[in-house]
Amino acid sequence: MQLKAPRGTYDILPPESSKWQYIEGILKETAETFGYREIRTPIFEHTELFERGVGTSTDIVTKEMYTFKDKSLRSLTLRPENTASCARALIEHSIYSGIMPAKWYYIGPMFRYDRPQTGRYRQFHQFGVEAFGSNSPYLDAEVIILLIEVLKRLGLKEYELHINSVGCTQCRDVYRQKLIEHITPVKDRLCPDCQTRYQQNPLRVLDCKEKSCHQAIVNYPTLFQHLCSDCASHYDMVKEALKANSIDYRHDDNLVRGLDYYTNTAFEIHIPGIGAQSAVGGGGRYNGLVEDCGGPDLPGIGFAMGIERLLLAVNTLAAKGLDSGKSDVFITTMSDQYELQALELLTRLRQKNIRAEKDYMGRSGRAQMKYADKLGARMVIIIGDDEIQQGYFTLRDMQSKEQVQIDKKEIVESVKDRLAKFRGGNG
Ligand code: ATP
Ligand code: MG
């Protein structure tokens, strides 16, 4: 049997991997500019962390976790998201007793037992930020501005920002009751999932993916109408800050986010034109999370975005600035006996950060020139009998086809100077 990557997973091969490096570079640089520093947490955690941190009534915990027992029969889970892990790390290392807010970003793989399709995988990648320790609505705005800045830097102009407030536990409790009262008479028309969860978590019906659920509960009371005065003014300040930064948004009563830990601001970014999975990222405030995970009562806000879906969007653009993986210079040997000299020169060039390459397939001199062309080499260094006897190298410019003889001792500097000139000349 031929082995294949497991369903819902895939390989990232070159040249595709340079797109990943390009995007990741922009994500990191943007986050760092906004004052976020990188955190790397384990790929697996105790299952209990996600049960507590993500919530037992969520799709993630009920259906999507990769949970397994290790040899000591501990229940472990491949992380389905990273916010709970960040909260765990914050508590474990008492970060909250240091300078606040703690601002972190992460990039890495997440695992969910989802139905694979375009933009949906079982191992996928998220970039996200978390800011702990402040309840300022302007921090909510900062996080959203960062998300939009990432899209701008990637050249993505078509996006929709949806926002809502899911209130605090007080206003939500009152609201939940009203929503249950509204849903109960039509409960038979809900999907099986919602029928079982609407009593415990009626908000989940609002973000159910089944159309029939939305039709059943039409004209439902909105959370927005039930916000307490603190939550209402928090939401107003977020919106005011977005306006001050010229960021368009749309208030969306349906947006309650799938996770239990959200409070106040919730938001989602959609990019139309990348298919059915148009949500590239989402997040919100989660003031109850740190306490739920066994820490102090500490507020937090963050978002996560899916890098696969970002790539779908970026692929529709000419991704400029991409590393093409081209060689700068190729060394051609006219006879096998000069291979060692070639290898030694290769090393010296590479030590100066010049992308240098040679042949390893026993190609003829002519075939080596063809291969150099394929690799996109800007220059070729030729080593033949004359060169070795007289102590020089022939340097060929692959664009102008000009050839010059360069003293052996000056070859590395000469290649370096020429490359700098090419780069200065045409970017
Ligand atoms: P969806 O509604 O698409 O299932 P979600 O609400 O489960 O998304 P979040 O938990 O908010 O997603 O994760 C944030 C982002 O991570 C999503 O907007 C999406 O871009 C990405 N994402 C989530 N699940 C997957 C997946 N299985 N494959 C690829 N990307 C994903
Ligand atoms: Mg999902």
Side-chain angles (χ1 to χ4, degrees):
M1 189 190 75
Q2 197 198 334
L3 287 175
K4 291 189 172 161
R7 190 166 138 78
T9 71
Y10 61 94
D11 302 304
I12 304 170
L13 306 172
E16 188 69 13
S17 48
S18 37
K19 289 187 193 163
W20 280 79
Q21 291 180 347
Y22 167 72
I23 289 195
E24 286 170 357
I26 287 183
L27 297 174
K28 289 180 185 175
E29 191 178 80
T30 313
E32 300 264 356
T33 307
F34 278 68
Y36 292 74
R37 307 285 311 279
E38 188 181 19
I39 176 169
R40 301 190 190 194
T41 62
I43 297 288
F44 58 86
E45 298 266 3
H46 292 291
T47 303
E48 196 195 339
L49 173 66
F50 301 116
E51 287 169 352
R52 278 210 253 165
V54 179
T56 45
S57 75
T58 58
D59 281 355
I60 291 184
V61 172
T62 54
K63 301 182 216 161
E64 299 174 356
M65 293 208 302
Y66 275 94
T67 297
F68 61 96
K69 290 221 156 68
D70 72 3
K71 292 200 197 305
S72 318
L73 302 179
R74 287 184 199 93
S75 180
L76 299 169
T77 296
L78 299 184
R79 62 183 191 189
E81 55 101 64
N82 211 18
T83 303
S85 306
C86 289
R88 198 254 320 125
L90 182 96
I91 300 164
E92 185 170 338
H93 306 288
S94 309
I95 303 294
Y96 51 81
S97 54
I99 299 168
M100 289 282 113
K103 297 180 20 171
W104 288 337
Y105 76 91
Y106 59 84
I107 298 184
M110 307 295 157
F111 305 85
R112 294 185 195 177
Y113 194 76
D114 245 329
R115 198 167 70 79
Q117 53 195 287
T118 306
R120 196 181 286 291
Y121 304 91
R122 291 182 172 172
Q123 173 170 347
F124 63 101
H125 299 78
Q126 283 186 339
F127 160 72
V129 309
E130 316 289 356
F132 292 97
S134 160
N135 197 30
S136 166
Y138 298 133
L139 187 58
D140 304 26
E142 173 180 284
V143 160
I144 297 174
I145 295 166
L146 162 51
L147 177 60
I148 303 290
E149 182 64 21
V150 162
L151 300 183
K152 281 190 188 153
R153 291 188 186 194
L154 288 170
L156 300 168
K157 294 193 189 84
E158 308 273 310
Y159 56 79
E160 280 171 20
L161 170 64
H162 293 222
I163 61 171
N164 192 10
S165 171
V166 296
C168 59
T169 42
Q170 276 92 34
C171 42
R172 202 157 55 206
D173 278 350
V174 177
Y175 174 67
R176 276 165 53 111
Q177 234 18 69
K178 291 225 173 136
L179 193 56
I180 294 173
E181 281 162 26
H182 180 86
I183 295 174
T184 307
V186 296
K187 67 173 193 306
D188 296 340
R189 291 165 56 199
L190 301 177
C191 74
D193 276 350
C194 284
Q195 291 197 16
T196 53
R197 67 187 166 193
Y198 88 92
Q199 284 281 358
Q200 197 203 341
N201 205 332
L203 267 76
R204 205 45 37 80
V205 183
L206 303 186
D207 97 326
C208 180
K209 293 194 172 80
E210 298 293 331
K211 263 206 192 103
S212 57
C213 288
H214 292 274
Q215 284 158 356
I217 61 163
V218 65
N219 292 330
Y220 62 88
T222 67
L223 234 172
F224 182 61
Q225 299 158 336
H226 291 80
L227 294 180
C228 65
S229 63
D230 281 355
C231 288
S233 85
H234 186 104
Y235 191 39
D236 283 341
M237 286 168 80
V238 174
K239 288 188 283 191
E240 191 184 36
L242 293 178
K243 272 188 207 139
N245 284 277
S246 313
I247 290 175
D248 292 332
Y249 58 82
R250 189 196 296 173
H251 168 80
D252 182 348
D253 284 317
N254 275 326
L255 176 64
V256 295
R257 305 281 304 149
L259 311 177
D260 282 353
Y261 51 55
Y262 287 108
T263 54
N264 295 104
T265 317
F267 55 93
E268 244 169 44
I269 279 274
H270 292 262
I271 298 194
I274 60 167
Q277 310 324 318
S278 68
V280 221
R285 187 162 269 292
Y286 42 78
N287 288 353
L289 175 68
V290 178
E291 206 173 2
D292 286 352
C293 292
D297 177 11
L298 199 77
I301 167 115
F303 71 73
M305 67 204 298
I307 302 186
E308 282 78 3
R309 292 188 200 172
L310 261 189
L311 255 167
L312 281 174
V314 173
N315 270 343
T316 61
L317 298 166
K320 59 176 189 309
L322 274 192
D323 175 6
S324 60
K326 282 184 183 172
S327 295
D328 295 324
V329 54
F330 186 90
I331 306 180
T332 298
T333 51
M334 304 313 283
S335 155
D336 290 352
Q337 56 178 315
Y338 304 134
E339 275 211 68
L340 201 57
Q341 271 110 323
L343 190 59
E344 187 268 337
L345 176 55
L346 206 57
T347 304
R348 281 194 287 130
L349 289 162
R350 288 169 173 169
Q351 284 167 344
K352 297 280 178 214
N353 251 345
I354 295 166
R355 291 177 170 218
E357 189 54 289
K358 75 179 279 301
D359 171 55
Y360 290 105
M361 303 299 291
R363 289 180 174 85
S364 69
R366 254 185 71 161
Q368 286 181 51
M369 293 304 267
K370 265 198 194 156
Y371 177 44
D373 233 6
K374 265 222 178 84
L375 295 178
R378 190 64 177 72
M379 285 171 280
V380 169
I381 295 171
I382 302 167
I383 309 183
D385 295 339
D386 288 351
E387 282 83 1
I388 291 298
Q389 275 157 28
Q390 293 167 41
Y392 67 86
F393 291 122
T394 300
L395 186 64
R396 180 182 171 88
D397 183 319
M398 294 296 273
Q399 262 173 30
S400 69
K401 314 284 184 218
E402 261 174 296
Q403 294 197 173
V404 287
Q405 297 179 350
I406 307 223
D407 190 276
K408 238 177 128 170
K409 289 189 223 86
E410 282 151 27
I411 187 75
V412 175
E413 277 313 304
S414 175
V415 168
K416 226 177 108 180
D417 290 349
R418 278 158 210 267
L419 279 175
K421 227 183 282 161
F422 295 146
R423 289 196 183 118
N426 50 24

